[in-house]
């Protein structure tokens, strides 16, 4: 529709009355960088987001569960596992990248991230062998003095790449054929769980080379199905079978000490169908000396990785059940904080974070939609 002479006159008058300063270029914006407090709160949580729909570009989401706030994110490659340094200054991830994003030349790197800026500090190229599996707690681990990082490889030959974080280079590659993962023991040892039912303990020298290796019979794989996703308190590791029997091993001495087994369920609970299930299905609150386990009331064969809303608490000294916690959403993985006001944290299957106060046993809240497919939670 053509403008009337009156409307056209108003537009012309308006353009004359607009001051020239409004046409000036906007000031150039600069990009800054925020820093998180150091040392970090013991409740600061790192959610390893596997994201089933896009495993090429994955992430670690950093959150403050007390304030229900997302603090930042580490962009990782190829469903990277992560581990926190004991000095709380660094997060390590073992990333996989391809020169053409989804194809081309593969490059594996160990990336060191600053916990204050959540920016990469340095990286070192490692053998292109890192296991491409659902992220597990001990697929990436480190020595007690933060000197060496252990990267689990699967090609399908099984090895551990040992990275020297001081020299920032690969120190060695350790053959662990027939065994999996690297459960860290002190400053220079790690254990691996073997298909034969043995525990293989590898000792390194100060150059990261193998100086000794031993094997200890741990369980009978013909009789029990042991879940490899253990949890530890100091140098004692706790594994659980799919039927709910706890197998403990103390690595504090030169020779591993296999501890007596004990059951999470009594006879009636077994008859009722109770058994553990989930991905990282166990957590320990060190200050309370308690073990927390995801449990199912309808346990079925081949469903021991299914999520659950029910968590049982056990006293690690008496092995007695001391409580039950229940979440409003299905939880797949657990972790507990290491402080005097401990939280139990759980990743729910919708990408949220469930938070419990372990002093009261109460469910505090749900942080919704903080990730896509969170498989693990890490805390300092």
């Amino acid at each position: 529709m053509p403008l009337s002479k009156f409307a056209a006159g108003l537009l012309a008058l308006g353009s004359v009355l607009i001051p020239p300063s409004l046409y000036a270029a906007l000031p150039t914006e600069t990009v800054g960088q925020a820093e998180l407090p150091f040392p970090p709160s013991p409740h600061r949580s790192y959610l390893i987001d596997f994201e089933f729909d896009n495993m090429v570009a994955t992430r670690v989401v950093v959150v403050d569960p007390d304030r229900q706030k997302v603090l930042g994110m580490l962009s990782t490659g190829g469903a990277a596992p992560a581990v926190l340094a004991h000095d709380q200054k660094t997060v390590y991830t073992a990333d996989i990248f391809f020169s053409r994003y989804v194809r081309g030349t593969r490059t594996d790197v160990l990336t060191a991230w600053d916990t204050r800026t959540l920016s990469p500090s340095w990286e070192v190229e490692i053998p292109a062998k890192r296991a491409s599996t659902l992220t597990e707690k001990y697929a990436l681990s480190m020595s007690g003095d933060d000197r060496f990082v252990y990267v689990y490889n699967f090609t399908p030959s099984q090895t551990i790449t040992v990275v020297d974080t001081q020299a920032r280079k690969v120190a060695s590659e350790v053959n662990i054929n027939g065994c999996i993962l690297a459960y860290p023991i002190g400053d220079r040892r790690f254990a691996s769980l073997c298909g034969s039912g043995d525990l293989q303990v590898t000792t390194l020298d100060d150059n990261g080379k193998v100086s000794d290796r031993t094997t200890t019979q741990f369980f009978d794989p013909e009789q029990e199905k042991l879940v490899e996703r253990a949890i530890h308190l100091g140098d004692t590791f706790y594994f659980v079978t799919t039927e709910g029997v706890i197998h403990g091993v103390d690595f504090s001495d030169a020779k591993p000490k296999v501890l007596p087994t004990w059951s999470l369920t009594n006879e009636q609970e077994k008859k009722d169908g109770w058994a553990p299930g989930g991905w990282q299905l166990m957590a320990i609150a060190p200050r309370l000396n308690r073990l927390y386990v995801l449990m199912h009331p309808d346990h079925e064969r081949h469903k021991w990785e299914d999520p659950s809303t029910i968590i049982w608490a056990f006293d690690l000294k008496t092995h007695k059940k001391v409580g039950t916690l229940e979440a409003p959403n299905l939880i797949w993985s657990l972790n507990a904080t290491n402080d005097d006001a401990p939280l139990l944290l759980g990743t729910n299957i919708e990408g949220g974070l469930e938070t419990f106060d372990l002093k009261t046993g109460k469910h505090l809240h749900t942080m919704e939609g903080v990730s896509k497919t969170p498989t693990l939670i890490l805390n300092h």
Side-chain angles (χ1 to χ4, degrees):
M1 180 184 295
L3 288 172
S4 68
K5 290 183 178 180
F6 177 73
L10 285 178
L11 286 173
L13 177 62
S15 64
V16 171
L17 294 177
I18 295 173
S21 61
L22 291 184
Y23 292 108
L26 294 173
T28 302
E29 293 184 352
T30 57
V31 178
Q33 185 176 59
E35 287 200 6
L36 298 178
F38 187 85
S41 160
H43 290 178
R44 185 191 294 181
S45 302
Y46 300 79
L47 278 66
I48 301 178
D49 192 353
F50 189 83
E51 193 181 349
F52 283 124
D53 293 336
N54 180 19
M55 292 181 286
V56 175
T58 48
R59 66 200 61 82
V60 177
V61 182
V62 187
V63 302
D64 180 341
D66 294 320
R67 294 186 292 159
Q68 301 186 60
K69 181 179 180 180
V70 174
L71 302 177
M73 183 179 70
L74 316 180
S75 296
T76 61
V83 66
L84 305 179
H86 300 92
D87 67 6
Q88 305 183 15
K89 295 178 180 179
T90 308
V91 183
Y92 292 97
T93 59
D95 306 281
I96 296 174
F97 300 107
F98 291 91
S99 60
R100 294 295 182 268
Y101 189 62
V102 294
R103 60 184 174 82
T105 303
R106 171 176 165 172
T107 303
D108 291 20
V109 295
L110 180 75
T111 308
W113 304 80
D114 188 318
T115 59
R116 283 166 285 202
T117 63
L118 303 184
S119 296
S121 302
W122 55 270
E123 67 177 36
V124 59
E125 187 171 344
I126 58 178
K129 299 179 178 182
R130 196 217 77 195
S132 296
T133 62
L134 200 59
T135 41
E136 297 202 30
K137 197 173 182 69
Y138 304 106
L140 190 69
S141 57
M142 68 185 313
S143 61
D145 62 356
D146 291 340
R147 172 74 183 280
F148 296 113
V149 174
Y150 311 128
V151 184
Y152 173 58
N153 301 320
F154 185 87
T155 60
S157 179
Q158 293 131 314
T159 64
I160 301 293
T161 297
V162 179
V163 179
D164 186 330
T165 64
Q166 290 182 5
R168 298 182 182 179
K169 67 177 185 179
V170 173
S172 67
E173 186 175 348
V174 180
N175 188 339
I176 59 163
N177 275 339
C179 308
I180 58 170
L181 306 176
Y183 305 92
I185 309 162
D187 292 345
R188 295 293 178 270
R189 293 191 298 159
F190 64 84
S192 300
L193 185 66
C194 306
S196 60
D198 290 340
L199 281 167
Q200 179 178 276
V201 176
T202 301
T203 302
L204 305 176
D205 61 21
D206 284 340
N207 295 314
K209 312 292 186 185
V210 175
S211 64
D212 190 29
R213 181 173 290 170
T214 63
T215 57
T216 301
Q217 182 63 36
F218 183 44
F219 76 106
D220 185 350
E222 298 298 329
Q223 300 298 321
E224 296 181 291
K225 297 178 179 65
L226 194 74
V227 179
E228 81 281 6
R229 298 178 295 279
I231 194 70
H232 72 98
L233 181 59
D235 287 334
T236 300
F237 283 75
Y238 297 91
F239 295 78
V240 67
T241 70
T242 56
E243 299 299 322
V245 176
I246 296 291
H247 288 249
V249 56
D250 182 355
F251 291 106
S252 58
D253 291 331
K255 181 177 174 56
K257 179 183 179 183
V258 177
L259 305 176
T261 60
W262 54 281
S263 178
L264 298 174
T265 56
N266 58 35
E267 289 304 317
Q268 185 58 52
E269 290 165 340
K270 288 178 185 175
K271 290 179 182 178
D272 292 342
W274 285 96
W279 186 244
Q280 184 55 52
L281 66 171
M282 297 192 296
I284 288 177
R287 303 295 176 90
L288 301 178
N289 200 38
R290 287 184 179 175
L291 173 71
Y292 297 87
V293 188
L294 281 167
M295 298 293 292
H296 292 267
D298 51 358
H299 179 64
E300 292 182 32
R301 184 176 175 82
H302 301 309
K303 290 190 176 182
W304 46 73
E305 290 178 353
D306 285 3
S308 179
T309 59
I310 300 168
I311 304 159
W312 286 3
F314 296 86
D315 185 303
L316 277 174
K317 183 177 181 180
T318 64
H319 303 163
K320 300 295 183 184
K321 179 183 171 186
V322 294
T324 300
L325 294 76
E326 189 161 357
N329 301 293
L330 288 166
I331 292 176
W332 205 29
S333 289
L334 296 173
N335 201 45
T337 63
N338 181 20
D339 63 315
D340 292 327
L343 301 178
L344 183 67
L345 303 160
T347 61
N348 71 42
I349 61 172
E350 300 299 327
L353 181 67
E354 308 291 342
T355 303
F356 295 85
D357 180 340
L358 289 183
K359 287 277 183 85
T360 64
K362 292 182 179 179
H363 179 266
L364 297 178
H365 48 70
T366 302
M367 282 184 70
E368 306 236 0
V370 293
S371 58
K372 299 290 185 67
T373 316
T375 51
L376 291 176
I377 308 168
L378 306 178
N379 297 92
H380 291 286

